[in-house]
Amino acid sequence: MIELEGVPELIDPVMVAAFEGWNDAGDAASTAVAHLDREWKGEVFAALDAEDYYDFQVNRPTVWLEGGTRKITWPTTRLSVVRIGGDKPRDLVLVRGIEPSMRWRSFCNEILGFAHELGVEMVVVLGALLGDTPHTRPVPVSGVTSDPDLARTLDLEESRYEGPTGIVGILQEACTHAGVPAVSLWAAVPHYVSQPPNPKATLALLNRLEDLIGLRIPLGELAEDARAWQLGVDQLAAEDSEVAEYVQTLEEARDTAELPEASGEAIAREFERYLRRRDPGPGGAPGGHATESGDGSYLRDTSSGRTRPPKPARPETGGPGPVSGPATGGPAPADGDAGRGESGPQDPPAGPPGDASASQDPPEDPPENSSED
Protein backbone atom coordinates (compact mmCIF):
# COMPACT_ATOMS: atom_id res chain seq x y z
CA MET A 1 0.00 0.00 0.00
CA ILE A 2 1.22 3.49 -0.88
CA GLU A 3 1.49 5.73 2.17
CA LEU A 4 1.57 9.49 1.79
CA GLU A 5 3.00 11.73 4.47
CA GLY A 6 2.01 15.38 4.58
CA VAL A 7 -0.24 15.35 1.49
CA PRO A 8 -3.58 16.96 2.33
CA GLU A 9 -6.91 15.67 1.05
CA LEU A 10 -7.07 16.97 -2.51
CA ILE A 11 -9.92 18.91 -4.09
CA ASP A 12 -11.31 17.44 -7.34
CA PRO A 13 -7.82 16.36 -8.40
CA VAL A 14 -6.83 15.74 -12.02
CA MET A 15 -3.54 14.00 -12.83
CA VAL A 16 -1.59 15.50 -15.74
CA ALA A 17 1.36 13.46 -17.02
CA ALA A 18 4.05 13.72 -19.71
CA PHE A 19 7.15 11.66 -20.46
CA GLU A 20 10.30 12.57 -22.31
CA GLY A 21 11.30 10.32 -25.17
CA TRP A 22 9.30 8.72 -27.97
CA ASN A 23 6.05 10.47 -27.03
CA ASP A 24 7.55 13.95 -26.81
CA ALA A 25 8.46 15.43 -30.22
CA GLY A 26 10.09 18.83 -29.75
CA ASP A 27 9.88 18.29 -25.96
CA ALA A 28 6.44 19.90 -26.28
CA ALA A 29 4.58 17.68 -23.79
CA SER A 30 7.20 17.51 -21.04
CA THR A 31 7.71 21.27 -21.33
CA ALA A 32 3.96 21.80 -20.85
CA VAL A 33 3.94 19.90 -17.54
CA ALA A 34 7.15 21.68 -16.48
CA HIS A 35 5.38 24.99 -17.19
CA LEU A 36 2.44 24.03 -14.97
CA ASP A 37 4.82 22.97 -12.21
CA ARG A 38 6.76 26.22 -12.43
CA GLU A 39 3.80 28.61 -12.72
CA TRP A 40 1.88 27.01 -9.86
CA LYS A 41 4.92 26.21 -7.70
CA GLY A 42 4.40 22.47 -7.52
CA GLU A 43 5.80 20.53 -4.59
CA VAL A 44 7.33 17.12 -5.26
CA PHE A 45 5.92 14.51 -2.89
CA ALA A 46 7.15 11.27 -4.50
CA ALA A 47 9.70 9.90 -6.97
CA LEU A 48 9.69 6.43 -8.47
CA ASP A 49 12.75 4.27 -7.82
CA ALA A 50 15.04 4.73 -10.82
CA GLU A 51 16.55 1.26 -10.34
CA ASP A 52 13.20 -0.36 -11.10
CA TYR A 53 12.44 1.25 -14.44
CA TYR A 54 15.46 2.77 -16.18
CA ASP A 55 18.42 1.47 -18.16
CA PHE A 56 21.19 3.87 -17.16
CA GLN A 57 23.10 3.18 -20.39
CA VAL A 58 20.11 4.62 -22.27
CA ASN A 59 19.15 7.41 -19.85
CA ARG A 60 22.35 8.26 -18.02
CA PRO A 61 22.52 9.91 -14.59
CA THR A 62 24.17 13.32 -14.35
CA VAL A 63 26.83 14.49 -11.90
CA TRP A 64 26.88 18.02 -10.51
CA LEU A 65 28.54 20.07 -7.79
CA GLU A 66 26.88 21.74 -4.81
CA GLY A 67 29.18 23.63 -2.48
CA GLY A 68 32.11 21.51 -3.54
CA THR A 69 30.22 18.25 -3.00
CA ARG A 70 29.58 16.01 -6.00
CA LYS A 71 26.00 14.83 -6.33
CA ILE A 72 24.17 12.57 -8.76
CA THR A 73 20.75 13.07 -10.30
CA TRP A 74 19.18 9.82 -11.48
CA PRO A 75 16.67 9.64 -14.33
CA THR A 76 13.24 9.02 -12.84
CA THR A 77 9.60 10.09 -12.71
CA ARG A 78 8.45 12.56 -10.07
CA LEU A 79 4.99 13.49 -8.81
CA SER A 80 4.07 16.91 -7.49
CA VAL A 81 0.90 18.66 -6.30
CA VAL A 82 -0.35 22.16 -7.08
CA ARG A 83 -3.44 23.85 -5.70
CA ILE A 84 -5.23 26.36 -7.89
CA GLY A 85 -7.11 28.99 -5.93
CA GLY A 86 -10.19 30.98 -6.86
CA ASP A 87 -13.91 30.65 -6.23
CA LYS A 88 -13.70 26.96 -7.17
CA PRO A 89 -10.29 25.73 -6.00
CA ARG A 90 -9.00 22.39 -7.22
CA ASP A 91 -5.76 20.43 -7.27
CA LEU A 92 -3.55 19.01 -9.99
CA VAL A 93 -1.22 16.06 -9.57
CA LEU A 94 1.65 16.53 -12.03
CA VAL A 95 3.63 13.51 -13.26
CA ARG A 96 6.80 14.31 -15.16
CA GLY A 97 9.54 11.90 -16.11
CA ILE A 98 11.21 9.83 -18.80
CA GLU A 99 9.63 6.96 -20.66
CA PRO A 100 10.76 3.90 -18.67
CA SER A 101 13.13 1.35 -20.17
CA MET A 102 11.50 -1.69 -18.53
CA ARG A 103 8.67 -3.02 -16.33
CA TRP A 104 6.01 -0.83 -17.89
CA ARG A 105 3.13 -2.67 -16.22
CA SER A 106 4.64 -2.16 -12.76
CA PHE A 107 5.38 1.46 -13.67
CA CYS A 108 1.75 2.13 -14.62
CA ASN A 109 0.46 0.26 -11.57
CA GLU A 110 2.60 2.43 -9.31
CA ILE A 111 1.28 5.62 -10.87
CA LEU A 112 -2.28 4.29 -10.63
CA GLY A 113 -1.64 3.50 -6.97
CA PHE A 114 -0.91 7.18 -6.35
CA ALA A 115 -3.96 8.17 -8.39
CA HIS A 116 -6.15 5.90 -6.26
CA GLU A 117 -4.74 7.09 -2.92
CA LEU A 118 -5.09 10.74 -3.92
CA GLY A 119 -8.64 10.36 -5.25
CA VAL A 120 -7.75 11.42 -8.80
CA GLU A 121 -10.89 11.93 -10.88
CA MET A 122 -9.28 11.86 -14.32
CA VAL A 123 -5.85 11.28 -15.86
CA VAL A 124 -4.71 13.45 -18.78
CA VAL A 125 -1.55 12.33 -20.58
CA LEU A 126 0.16 14.81 -22.91
CA GLY A 127 2.10 13.75 -25.98
CA ALA A 128 3.59 15.20 -29.15
CA LEU A 129 4.19 13.59 -32.52
CA LEU A 130 5.88 14.44 -35.80
CA GLY A 131 3.39 15.24 -38.54
CA ASP A 132 2.86 16.80 -41.96
CA THR A 133 1.75 20.12 -40.54
CA PRO A 134 3.06 23.57 -41.51
CA HIS A 135 4.63 25.68 -38.77
CA THR A 136 2.67 28.70 -40.01
CA ARG A 137 -0.74 27.31 -39.05
CA PRO A 138 -2.32 26.60 -35.63
CA VAL A 139 -0.92 23.43 -34.08
CA PRO A 140 -3.37 20.53 -34.43
CA VAL A 141 -4.14 18.96 -31.05
CA SER A 142 -6.10 15.71 -30.88
CA GLY A 143 -8.00 14.51 -27.82
CA VAL A 144 -8.23 10.72 -27.61
CA THR A 145 -9.71 8.23 -25.16
CA SER A 146 -10.44 4.51 -25.02
CA ASP A 147 -13.66 5.12 -23.08
CA PRO A 148 -16.71 5.46 -25.39
CA ASP A 149 -18.73 7.30 -22.73
CA LEU A 150 -15.91 9.76 -22.08
CA ALA A 151 -15.51 10.29 -25.82
CA ARG A 152 -19.16 11.32 -26.10
CA THR A 153 -19.18 13.42 -22.94
CA LEU A 154 -16.02 15.41 -23.70
CA ASP A 155 -16.29 15.37 -27.51
CA LEU A 156 -13.10 13.33 -27.96
CA GLU A 157 -11.99 10.75 -30.48
CA GLU A 158 -12.30 7.11 -29.48
CA SER A 159 -8.96 5.42 -30.07
CA ARG A 160 -8.96 2.56 -32.57
CA TYR A 161 -5.23 2.50 -33.20
CA GLU A 162 -3.46 -0.84 -33.65
CA GLY A 163 0.32 -1.07 -33.74
CA PRO A 164 3.46 -0.23 -31.75
CA THR A 165 2.86 2.01 -28.78
CA GLY A 166 4.75 3.82 -26.03
CA ILE A 167 4.18 4.66 -22.40
CA VAL A 168 1.42 7.18 -23.16
CA GLY A 169 -0.68 4.50 -24.82
CA ILE A 170 0.12 1.92 -22.15
CA LEU A 171 -0.74 4.27 -19.27
CA GLN A 172 -4.00 5.31 -20.90
CA GLU A 173 -5.05 1.67 -21.34
CA ALA A 174 -3.99 0.84 -17.78
CA CYS A 175 -6.23 3.65 -16.51
CA THR A 176 -9.13 2.43 -18.62
CA HIS A 177 -8.82 -1.12 -17.31
CA ALA A 178 -8.59 0.21 -13.74
CA GLY A 179 -11.78 2.24 -14.20
CA VAL A 180 -10.01 5.62 -14.10
CA PRO A 181 -11.17 8.07 -16.80
CA ALA A 182 -8.17 8.83 -19.03
CA VAL A 183 -7.55 11.14 -21.97
CA SER A 184 -4.52 11.67 -24.20
CA LEU A 185 -3.86 15.05 -25.83
CA TRP A 186 -1.52 14.98 -28.83
CA ALA A 187 0.12 17.97 -30.51
CA ALA A 188 1.51 17.66 -34.04
CA VAL A 189 5.04 19.02 -34.51
CA PRO A 190 6.30 19.84 -38.05
CA HIS A 191 8.67 17.03 -38.97
CA TYR A 192 10.94 19.43 -40.89
CA VAL A 193 11.69 21.44 -37.74
CA SER A 194 11.54 18.82 -35.02
CA GLN A 195 14.34 19.95 -32.71
CA PRO A 196 13.31 21.14 -29.24
CA PRO A 197 12.08 23.40 -27.92
CA ASN A 198 8.76 24.00 -29.68
CA PRO A 199 6.89 26.59 -27.58
CA LYS A 200 4.10 26.82 -30.15
CA ALA A 201 3.21 23.14 -29.67
CA THR A 202 3.55 23.49 -25.89
CA LEU A 203 1.17 26.46 -25.95
CA ALA A 204 -1.35 24.51 -28.04
CA LEU A 205 -1.31 21.62 -25.56
CA LEU A 206 -1.88 23.96 -22.62
CA ASN A 207 -4.76 25.70 -24.40
CA ARG A 208 -6.44 22.35 -25.08
CA LEU A 209 -5.82 21.21 -21.49
CA GLU A 210 -7.36 24.45 -20.27
CA ASP A 211 -10.52 23.73 -22.27
CA LEU A 212 -10.64 20.11 -21.13
CA ILE A 213 -10.39 20.63 -17.37
CA GLY A 214 -11.96 24.09 -17.17
CA LEU A 215 -8.98 25.88 -15.61
CA ARG A 216 -7.37 29.11 -16.68
CA ILE A 217 -3.66 28.44 -17.06
CA PRO A 218 -1.18 31.32 -16.65
CA LEU A 219 0.94 31.31 -19.80
CA GLY A 220 3.70 33.70 -18.76
CA GLU A 221 5.99 34.41 -21.71
CA LEU A 222 4.98 31.30 -23.61
CA ALA A 223 2.86 33.15 -26.18
CA GLU A 224 5.75 35.50 -26.97
CA ASP A 225 8.16 32.57 -27.18
CA ALA A 226 5.81 30.87 -29.66
CA ARG A 227 5.73 33.97 -31.86
CA ALA A 228 9.51 34.27 -31.76
CA TRP A 229 9.84 30.58 -32.63
CA GLN A 230 7.60 30.94 -35.68
CA LEU A 231 9.46 34.02 -36.90
CA GLY A 232 12.74 32.15 -36.53
CA VAL A 233 11.46 29.20 -38.57
CA ASP A 234 10.07 31.62 -41.17
CA GLN A 235 13.53 33.10 -41.62
CA LEU A 236 15.24 29.72 -41.84
CA ALA A 237 12.69 28.43 -44.35
CA ALA A 238 12.99 31.56 -46.48
CA GLU A 239 16.70 30.83 -46.94
CA ASP A 240 15.93 27.51 -48.62
CA SER A 241 13.62 27.67 -51.66
CA GLU A 242 12.94 23.92 -51.56
CA VAL A 243 11.81 24.08 -47.94
CA ALA A 244 9.74 27.21 -48.60
CA GLU A 245 7.97 25.46 -51.48
CA TYR A 246 7.34 22.40 -49.33
CA VAL A 247 5.87 24.54 -46.53
CA GLN A 248 3.57 26.21 -49.05
CA THR A 249 2.36 22.78 -50.20
CA LEU A 250 1.58 21.82 -46.61
CA GLU A 251 -0.26 25.10 -46.07
CA GLU A 252 -2.46 24.55 -49.12
CA ALA A 253 -3.27 20.99 -48.08
CA ARG A 254 -4.06 22.07 -44.53
CA ASP A 255 -6.24 25.00 -45.59
CA THR A 256 -8.18 22.85 -48.03
CA ALA A 257 -8.78 20.12 -45.44
CA GLU A 258 -9.90 22.52 -42.71
CA LEU A 259 -11.96 24.98 -44.74
CA PRO A 260 -15.33 23.38 -43.88
CA GLU A 261 -14.50 23.43 -40.17
CA ALA A 262 -13.39 27.05 -39.90
CA SER A 263 -16.79 28.06 -38.62
CA GLY A 264 -19.12 28.15 -35.65
CA GLU A 265 -17.69 25.67 -33.18
CA ALA A 266 -14.00 26.60 -33.55
CA ILE A 267 -14.78 30.32 -33.41
CA ALA A 268 -16.97 29.82 -30.32
CA ARG A 269 -14.15 27.95 -28.52
CA GLU A 270 -11.68 30.76 -29.18
CA PHE A 271 -14.18 33.38 -28.03
CA GLU A 272 -14.87 31.47 -24.79
CA ARG A 273 -11.14 31.25 -24.10
CA TYR A 274 -10.83 35.00 -24.74
CA LEU A 275 -13.61 35.75 -22.25
CA ARG A 276 -12.05 33.45 -19.63
CA ARG A 277 -8.75 35.25 -19.88
CA ARG A 278 -10.36 38.71 -19.64
CA ASP A 279 -11.94 37.78 -16.30
CA PRO A 280 -9.23 38.22 -13.65
CA GLY A 281 -11.15 36.04 -11.20
CA PRO A 282 -11.29 36.54 -7.43
CA GLY A 283 -8.58 38.80 -6.14
CA GLY A 284 -7.55 39.75 -9.65
CA ALA A 285 -5.18 36.82 -9.92
CA PRO A 286 -5.54 35.39 -13.42
CA GLY A 287 -4.97 31.68 -13.59
CA GLY A 288 -5.43 31.11 -9.88
CA HIS A 289 -2.52 30.63 -7.53
CA ALA A 290 -0.58 27.85 -5.97
CA THR A 291 -0.89 27.34 -2.26
CA GLU A 292 2.43 27.94 -0.57
CA SER A 293 3.78 24.97 1.28
CA GLY A 294 4.41 26.59 4.65
CA ASP A 295 5.58 23.95 7.07
CA GLY A 296 3.28 21.26 5.64
CA SER A 297 5.44 20.25 2.71
CA TYR A 298 4.33 17.40 0.49
CA LEU A 299 6.63 14.50 1.30
CA ARG A 300 6.42 10.78 0.91
CA ASP A 301 7.54 8.75 3.87
CA THR A 302 6.83 5.04 3.49
CA SER A 303 8.63 4.18 6.73
CA SER A 304 6.54 6.33 9.02
CA GLY A 305 3.47 4.12 9.02
CA ARG A 306 1.27 7.21 8.65
CA THR A 307 -1.32 7.58 5.98
CA ARG A 308 -3.05 10.73 4.81
CA PRO A 309 -4.48 13.15 7.38
CA PRO A 310 -8.25 13.43 7.93
CA LYS A 311 -10.18 15.19 5.20
CA PRO A 312 -10.43 18.93 5.91
CA ALA A 313 -13.56 20.97 5.42
CA ARG A 314 -13.97 21.60 1.71
CA PRO A 315 -13.68 25.24 0.68
CA GLU A 316 -16.66 26.59 -1.20
CA THR A 317 10.45 29.85 -24.41
CA GLY A 318 13.55 29.58 -26.88
CA GLY A 319 14.39 29.78 -30.59
CA PRO A 320 13.78 27.07 -33.18
CA GLY A 321 16.19 24.37 -34.16
CA PRO A 322 17.56 24.12 -37.68
CA VAL A 323 15.15 23.36 -40.50
CA SER A 324 15.90 19.92 -41.80
CA GLY A 325 14.18 20.22 -45.14
CA PRO A 326 11.30 18.20 -46.56
CA ALA A 327 11.23 14.55 -45.73
CA THR A 328 12.46 12.19 -48.38
CA GLY A 329 10.42 9.25 -49.49
CA GLY A 330 7.07 10.78 -48.60
CA PRO A 331 5.62 12.56 -45.57
CA ALA A 332 6.61 11.69 -42.05
CA PRO A 333 4.10 9.50 -40.25
CA ALA A 334 1.58 11.59 -38.39
CA ASP A 335 -0.23 8.88 -36.53
CA GLY A 336 2.43 8.32 -33.99
CA ASP A 337 4.59 10.26 -31.65
CA ALA A 338 8.26 10.68 -32.11
CA GLY A 339 10.64 11.65 -29.39
CA ARG A 340 12.94 14.61 -29.54
CA GLY A 341 12.59 14.89 -33.28
CA GLU A 342 13.26 11.24 -34.05
CA SER A 343 10.95 9.42 -36.40
CA GLY A 344 9.78 5.90 -35.93
CA PRO A 345 6.76 3.69 -35.44
CA GLN A 346 3.88 5.67 -34.15
CA ASP A 347 0.83 5.17 -32.10
CA PRO A 348 -2.26 7.16 -33.11
CA PRO A 349 -5.40 7.53 -31.11
CA ALA A 350 -8.28 7.16 -33.39
CA GLY A 351 -9.92 8.01 -36.67
CA PRO A 352 -9.08 10.80 -39.06
CA PRO A 353 -10.52 13.81 -37.24
CA GLY A 354 -8.66 12.92 -34.07
CA ASP A 355 -5.32 12.87 -35.71
CA ALA A 356 -2.59 15.21 -35.06
CA SER A 357 -1.87 16.15 -38.60
CA ALA A 358 -5.19 17.16 -40.05
CA SER A 359 -5.28 14.09 -42.27
CA GLN A 360 -4.00 11.27 -40.11
CA ASP A 361 -4.73 9.48 -36.88
CA PRO A 362 -3.16 10.78 -33.65
CA PRO A 363 -0.58 8.71 -31.96
CA GLU A 364 -0.08 6.77 -28.91
CA ASP A 365 3.67 6.30 -28.86
CA PRO A 366 6.93 5.87 -30.85
CA PRO A 367 10.16 3.93 -30.39
CA GLU A 368 12.28 4.53 -27.39
CA ASN A 369 14.57 7.50 -27.49
CA SER A 370 18.13 6.38 -27.05
CA SER A 371 19.69 9.78 -26.65
CA GLU A 372 21.61 10.38 -23.48
CA ASP A 373 21.06 13.14 -20.95
Side-chain angles (χ1 to χ4, degrees):
M1 175 180 174
I2 293 173
E3 296 176 350
L4 301 174
E5 172 71 14
V7 181
E9 192 76 20
L10 303 185
I11 302 171
D12 301 331
V14 172
M15 178 177 281
V16 182
F19 303 94
E20 298 174 17
W22 205 44
N23 310 134
D24 195 23
D27 289 355
S30 58
T31 302
V33 173
H35 177 87
L36 296 175
D37 192 70
R38 181 174 58 254
E39 290 294 322
W40 278 322
K41 299 179 177 63
E43 286 197 47
V44 174
F45 66 88
L48 276 57
D49 190 342
E51 291 282 346
D52 291 340
Y53 304 115
Y54 294 99
D55 179 347
F56 300 139
Q57 291 183 327
V58 174
N59 296 289
R60 293 188 180 273
T62 57
V63 179
W64 52 287
L65 292 173
E66 183 181 57
T69 302
R70 295 176 67 81
K71 295 191 175 182
I72 298 176
T73 298
W74 297 92
T76 188
T77 294
R78 293 180 173 83
L79 291 83
S80 58
V81 171
V82 298
R83 174 153 296 172
I84 298 97
D87 55 344
K88 293 183 178 179
R90 78 178 312 170
D91 296 313
L92 294 183
V93 179
L94 304 179
V95 181
R96 182 183 172 209
I98 304 168
E99 183 178 63
S101 308
M102 60 196 80
R103 301 186 182 90
W104 284 18
R105 285 177 292 187
S106 298
F107 180 87
C108 291
N109 286 338
E110 192 163 353
I111 290 178
L112 280 169
F114 282 107
H116 174 73
E117 286 298 311
L118 295 168
V120 166
E121 298 180 347
M122 182 169 66
V123 174
V124 182
V125 193
L126 307 184
L129 55 97
L130 296 180
D132 294 328
T133 182
H135 71 277
T136 53
R137 297 294 184 266
V139 176
V141 177
S142 305
V144 185
T145 181
S146 298
D147 184 334
D149 294 332
L150 202 60
R152 286 191 297 272
T153 304
L154 299 179
D155 191 23
L156 303 168
E157 292 297 318
E158 186 178 350
S159 177
R160 300 190 183 280
Y161 172 79
E162 296 178 296
T165 189
I167 195 61
V168 171
I170 297 299
L171 180 57
Q172 179 174 314
E173 290 306 310
C175 290
T176 300
H177 289 299
V180 179
V183 175
S184 297
L185 298 181
W186 293 93
V189 171
H191 64 81
Y192 58 88
V193 56
S194 57
Q195 295 81 0
N198 189 318
K200 188 172 181 180
T202 295
L203 180 62
L205 280 170
L206 291 174
N207 282 336
R208 184 61 185 274
L209 178 66
E210 187 177 61
D211 293 338
L212 181 68
I213 63 178
L215 284 178
R216 189 174 52 206
I217 298 173
L219 299 177
E221 299 180 355
L222 197 53
E224 184 58 37
D225 291 341
R227 284 190 290 270
W229 177 88
Q230 181 166 325
L231 286 174
V233 179
D234 286 343
Q235 293 171 358
L236 291 171
E239 296 170 1
D240 188 319
S241 59
E242 187 179 356
V243 172
E245 183 179 350
Y246 181 67
V247 172
Q248 184 177 1
T249 301
L250 293 178
E251 290 173 339
E252 292 170 355
R254 172 76 178 274
D255 294 345
T256 301
E258 293 191 346
L259 187 60
E261 299 185 17
S263 60
E265 196 171 323
I267 294 173
R269 278 198 304 268
E270 289 303 315
F271 185 61
E272 288 172 0
R273 182 180 293 122
Y274 166 73
L275 291 178
R276 266 203 312 272
R277 291 196 172 282
R278 283 190 71 233
D279 177 14
H289 64 278
T291 300
E292 295 297 335
S293 61
D295 50 11
S297 57
Y298 301 129
L299 298 173
R300 179 188 179 192
D301 181 0
T302 56
S303 63
S304 67
R306 293 179 57 187
T307 55
R308 289 184 302 167
K311 183 174 181 179
R314 177 169 174 170
E316 285 301 315
T317 131
V323 177
S324 61
T328 58
D335 53 349
D337 31 310
R340 300 174 183 253
E342 297 176 1
S343 60
Q346 316 200 2
D347 189 352
D355 113 45
S357 80
S359 63
Q360 309 175 22
D361 297 336
E364 240 115 54
D365 317 312
E368 188 160 33
N369 182 357
S370 61
S371 63
E372 300 176 1
D373 284 356

